[in-house]
Amino acid sequence: MVKPSLSDRAEIVAELWRMVRRRKAWALLPIVLFLALLMLFLAVSEMPALIPFFYAVF
């Protein structure tokens, strides 16, 4: 399976932004932002150097 490159991912984000503007679907933005922040949190929380920090916080 081929991993998508950074330009492919940027293209997906650009297409989503065009769809929101064209269809006036502004209610989708909070959902998309929440999902993006959740994915970022999951990616950061898997870093071994940060595990003690998350253990102390939670």
Side-chain angles (χ1 to χ4, degrees):
M1 181 176 218
V2 178
K3 286 181 67 175
S5 67
L6 189 58
S7 63
D8 292 337
R9 292 177 184 173
E11 186 177 327
I12 291 170
V13 171
E15 180 66 27
L16 177 67
W17 177 245
R18 283 192 296 269
M19 189 268 308
V20 167
R21 283 191 332 191
R22 188 177 335 119
R23 295 183 182 210
K24 307 287 190 246
W26 299 111
L28 289 178
L29 286 180
I31 297 167
V32 171
L33 288 176
F34 173 75
L35 290 175
L37 287 174
L38 182 64
M39 289 187 305
L40 179 67
F41 174 75
L42 290 174
V44 168
S45 67
E46 291 181 1
M47 293 181 184
L50 297 176
I51 289 175
F53 171 72
F54 286 111
Y55 180 74
V57 170
F58 296 109

